[in-house]
Amino acid sequence: MKILMLTSEYPPYTWGGVGRYSKEVVERLREHSIVDVIDVPTYAVSAGQIGDSHCSSSPRGNSIHLRSATHDQSESMLDPFNEATQVTPNLAEWLRNDYDVLFVQDYFTAQLAVDIFLSGYASRMVAYSHLPLYAGFSYFDRPGAIDRQHALESMIFRLSAAVITPSKFAAGVILQSHNVTAERLRVLPPGVTMPESQSHSFANHDGDSISLLVVSRLTHQKGLAYLPDLVSQLTGRGINCRVVVIGRGPLADRLQESLRAERVQGVVEFVSQVDQESEVFDYYRSARILVSLSLYETFGFAVLEGMSRGCVPVGFAIEGIRELVGPELAKSFADIGDVPALVNRIELLSLDSRLLQLEAERAIDQALKYSWSDHVRALLELFEGLM
């Protein structure tokens, strides 16, 4: 089988869930198939140009990165293939002409995906929709360029033989927002790489301090606006905590200002970039609690990776995260915006080391249910069934 993956994140530019997914799945698919990869840089509307400085080849497949061109988020969708059709011919010598499956990651790559597919390079197209547009947002908290996202999603969904989602919640979102039949939808949760040792022993508290970790893009959707109030209430109750925030995004400066206004900036350390292959897992191992403040997620990679290293997840009870962590851990999640409830939970865990240990073990047991091997096996069965 020959597979072409089109993704918005891929090593060496792995950052976030799509990048992690693409890396892990391609490595395992290449054990069974030829897999070529085209990487269109994250959140770039333009298909861009061929980036000749980041091409790589191997016996099991090639990888190419496209440089993002400058773009206007508000540009019209009247000519959706304008940019993609300028790129596809330049890829002709690089692309094989007999792919069995064009495997598309999210809507950012839709313009190029559709042009490649309609140009006859692949027999079937399959879309993995990691974060479909959520119809449940209010008028005030909808993401930007909503019309464009809906149009791009519709383009790839219409031509895809199957649409994959990471959770039942995500499948429900697609059924509400798009004309996709339930028969074409597949729920395939991603996996996680577990540590070689499954010992349930964890580092002791650093004195009376408890370590909290946030791994997130610094955006409104991720709920980081609640972080200053959370830290302020924790310190106000005399809870000695250390908070590390790994991530970057448009809210970075405003978040720093809010922490200074609450006079808690000394409690929070910001790390804008880490090695996603190893260093981020060192942070997971050193933390006791992973805080998720997201307002919308269909699957939280950071939450799952944290659980795999014994971090106890604490956060808002949005449906995608509740489904991920399972019913027992989800019982202690708070309603969206209920910061005092989060503070109560963190305080309880900080004072009861036995409960903290129990919840950490429960987190690891839940993470063990997510297997990359099972995921790739299901993918291959799906692809072969479409032939």
Side-chain angles (χ1 to χ4, degrees):
M1 181 178 293
K2 295 188 179 84
I3 300 167
L4 175 61
M5 176 182 275
L6 188 54
T7 180
S8 56
E9 293 184 25
Y10 192 71
Y13 308 110
T14 302
W15 183 264
V18 175
R20 172 69 67 195
Y21 177 85
S22 299
K23 170 192 176 296
E24 299 286 353
V25 167
V26 167
E27 287 180 354
R28 289 164 175 80
L29 282 175
R30 281 179 173 166
E31 296 174 5
H32 308 275
S33 308
I34 298 294
V35 184
D36 292 338
V37 179
I38 299 177
D39 173 32
V40 182
T42 304
Y43 306 135
V45 175
S46 169
Q49 306 168 18
I50 295 177
D52 54 7
S53 60
H54 296 293
C55 300
S56 61
S57 299
S58 74
R60 303 302 298 171
N62 307 313
S63 302
I64 187 169
H65 296 271
L66 304 185
R67 292 196 303 270
S68 170
T70 302
H71 63 272
D72 178 1
Q73 289 276 7
S74 63
E75 80 179 292
S76 172
M77 283 296 299
L78 293 178
D79 187 9
F81 301 129
N82 181 48
E83 295 160 342
T85 52
Q86 297 175 24
V87 175
T88 307
N90 296 327
L91 291 169
E93 293 185 4
W94 183 85
L95 290 170
R96 307 171 203 268
N97 60 9
D98 59 346
Y99 293 107
D100 296 295
V101 175
L102 172 58
F103 190 27
V104 184
Q105 309 303 307
D106 254 330
Y107 70 91
F108 295 110
T109 60
Q111 292 181 353
L112 185 57
V114 170
D115 194 56
I116 288 174
F117 182 67
L118 293 181
S119 297
Y121 285 100
S123 300
R124 298 287 188 272
M125 184 161 75
V126 174
Y128 198 123
S129 185
H130 297 268
L131 197 69
L133 186 67
Y134 183 34
F137 277 116
S138 73
Y139 175 82
F140 298 101
D141 57 17
R142 284 184 182 274
I146 182 173
D147 292 338
R148 185 180 184 89
Q149 178 174 344
H150 193 275
L152 292 171
E153 286 181 348
S154 296
M155 286 166 59
I156 52 174
F157 291 170
R158 181 172 61 85
L159 294 173
S160 292
V163 177
I164 302 171
T165 69
S167 61
K168 294 177 182 177
F169 170 69
V173 169
I174 292 174
L175 289 172
Q176 291 177 30
S177 303
H178 293 278
N179 186 25
V180 176
T181 62
E183 291 74 22
R184 280 201 294 144
L185 274 175
R186 301 287 191 280
V187 177
L188 294 182
V192 67
T193 301
M194 300 296 295
E196 293 183 6
S197 171
Q198 293 301 325
S199 172
H200 288 189
S201 60
F202 307 98
N204 294 325
H205 290 306
D206 180 11
D208 294 325
S209 176
I210 188 164
S211 53
L212 312 180
L213 180 64
V214 177
V215 181
S216 172
R217 285 185 293 115
L218 308 185
T219 64
H220 287 291
Q221 175 207 312
K222 299 295 184 178
L224 272 299
Y226 290 99
L227 183 64
D229 187 26
L230 175 66
V231 178
S232 177
Q233 290 194 37
L234 286 170
T235 58
R237 291 197 190 181
I239 301 170
N240 186 10
C241 60
R242 295 177 291 109
V243 184
V244 175
V245 178
I246 298 177
R248 53 191 175 187
L251 289 186
D253 291 341
R254 189 182 305 178
L255 193 54
Q256 295 270 19
E257 292 173 6
S258 297
L259 290 166
R260 283 193 292 270
E262 295 284 350
R263 298 183 180 181
V264 292
Q265 70 271 26
V267 179
V268 183
E269 175 189 355
F270 285 87
V271 181
S272 62
Q273 189 166 346
V274 296
D275 176 2
Q276 294 292 314
E277 297 300 309
S278 58
E279 188 180 5
V280 70
F281 286 96
D282 292 335
Y283 280 100
Y284 289 131
R285 278 188 291 267
S286 64
R288 303 308 307 271
I289 295 174
L290 184 79
V291 179
S292 171
L293 300 173
S294 283
L295 308 179
Y296 172 48
E297 293 283 355
T298 57
F299 189 89
F301 258 106
V303 175
L304 178 57
E305 289 181 341
M307 291 195 304
S308 75
R309 299 315 192 259
C311 284
V312 179
V314 171
F316 295 143
I318 56 176
E319 192 58 36
I321 298 297
R322 285 175 53 85
E323 190 175 331
L324 165 64
V325 303
E328 288 303 313
L329 287 168
K331 287 178 182 177
S332 59
F333 274 55
D335 292 338
I336 291 178
D338 191 350
V339 175
L342 294 185
V343 173
N344 289 340
R345 176 63 174 166
I346 294 171
E347 182 178 34
L348 179 61
L349 291 169
S350 70
L351 296 175
D352 190 340
S353 59
R354 188 173 180 179
L355 175 63
L356 186 64
Q357 178 88 6
L358 177 64
E359 294 292 80
E361 293 175 358
R362 183 171 283 158
I364 289 178
D365 290 342
Q366 178 68 13
L368 284 167
K369 298 177 182 178
Y370 295 89
S371 163
W372 283 121
S373 296
D374 291 346
H375 181 84
V376 169
R377 187 182 306 112
L379 271 184
L380 289 170
E381 290 176 358
L382 172 62
F383 294 165
E384 290 167 357
L386 296 175
M387 295 301 105

